[in-house]
Amino acid sequence: MSLATAARPTRAPFTRAEWFANPKANLLSGLVVALALIPEAISFSIIAGVDPKVGLYASFSIAIIIAFAGGRPGMISAATGAMALVLVPLVEEHGIEYLFAATILAGIFQVGLGYLGVGELMRFVPRTVMVGFVNALAILIFMAQVPHILLSDEADRGDLIVANTIAILIGLVIIYGLPRITRAVPSPLVAIVAITGAALIWNIDMPTVGDMGDLPSALPVVALPDLPFDLETLGIIAPVAFTLALVGLLESLLTAQLLDDLSDTDSDKNRESRGQGVANVATGFLGGMAGCAMIGQSMINFRSGGRTRLSTLSAGVFLLVLILALGDLVARIPMAALVAVMIMVSVGTFDWRSVRPHTIRTHPVAETVIMATTVAIVVITHNLAYGVGAGVVLSTILLARHVSSLVKVTSVLDPDHTIRLYSVTGELFFASTHDIVHAFDYDAVEVKRVEIDLTDARIWDTSAVGALDTVVEKFAQRDIEAVLVGMNRHAERLHANTTGKVSAH
């Protein structure tokens, strides 16, 4: 067990606080999330090239299962765009049954990674990358609403766009204005009900949820994917499944970390990883597509008062009830109402402090570059994994460059003028080997013995050992004996095991 794991406070998996704190607020927020999930799930199904019911089945099953199996109370998981994009080539080339099999295998991978402690890797995602991740998500959420605002898919937009725009503006007024009067009911829910009611009463013609695709009318059936179970099939689905597992865990763990920060609480990331896996395995057998945490819906839930597992469970249950029992009514909800909710999510998700002139002027330029790079890559590729991966790599490179430049070598001559004493400070590793080798004035030494004091230096890898060997060798070439002193136990052991066996280059 790692120190980080041991240090985390343990909690009972099903405490009253995790389930039943403020049940009214959590049930209502779950209803808002369920309404917002429907068009999203349909859209992601279309992206993946499958029937809308595949995304809807996935969304309600994942939400219900993760409420029990997940590690972050109040987080919403369902079918997502990031996972749908990974599935597109598989569906096009091999069909939907391979999608189900890849979903199941992805879940198995996630369970395994959860037991291996993948959640602890979140410690290595820098804050600037987190900010870039959040800002990129906010931009993508807003960009996804633009076609619904401009009615890009409508042949005759004339009067439609006017009514649609007015409805969106009214929704935003309700969402931001109602909390100033009362917080008894989530304002997004009031906005959805009000706009839907007005559209039905006055028979206003606007695009609706039903225009996105047909809602399923029956429960899914548990079944094995209809494909050959052999090595050829495994070779087809394994690469896709592993990519799904990594993308899903990355988005889920980053979303969990964001909610941890917003709620000032901690969550079990390894349990969340395993829970995501269990949910995906079950979803594959139920005829659904792979999913993960959704930052947009999670933010809707959080800002509507959802903090417990009950909100996540109710989102899944309400989604099931809405599409099966109230499908005809749900299909008539204007998309404008849901667009207003998602615009609120986009505005609330973006970290506006990160782009203020004062922040940009006072923060290190490297951090701003990392954040901007993460945002740019995510927005361009629509793939969170690419952006976050690039941000982490860039952070690592800049950190290594910065740390390596802090290596310093100073020297003094002992009182007897027989030994020159060198003091080395800083981090000695692969990035600082060049600097350390060239930091000594070999030809200026006039004594026959030098001592290199490493008390204030830290030796991290064999590259550092190789560099020190090179320094000793350069002195030896000038008939000067060089002795290393002041190494700690780790450095002594590393040096003893590798000296003379590695090169500085």
Side-chain angles (χ1 to χ4, degrees), residues 403 406-408 424-430 432 436 453-461 463-465 468 486-488 490-492 494:
V403 172
L406 299 179
V407 175
K408 288 184 171 52
V424 181
T425 61
E427 310 298 320
L428 306 185
F429 63 114
F430 62 89
S432 57
I436 191 66
D453 186 2
L454 299 167
T455 302
D456 296 320
R458 189 169 297 204
I459 300 175
W460 286 103
D461 57 15
S463 295
V465 174
L468 292 173
M487 289 188 288
N488 58 32
H490 165 76
E492 284 183 347
L494 180 62

Side-chain angles (χ1 to χ4, degrees), residues 164-185:
N164 194 62
T165 303
I166 292 173
I168 293 172
L169 292 175
I170 291 173
L172 291 172
V173 169
I174 294 173
I175 287 170
Y176 287 108
L178 185 62
R180 298 177 181 273
I181 302 172
T182 178
R183 293 181 179 272
V185 180

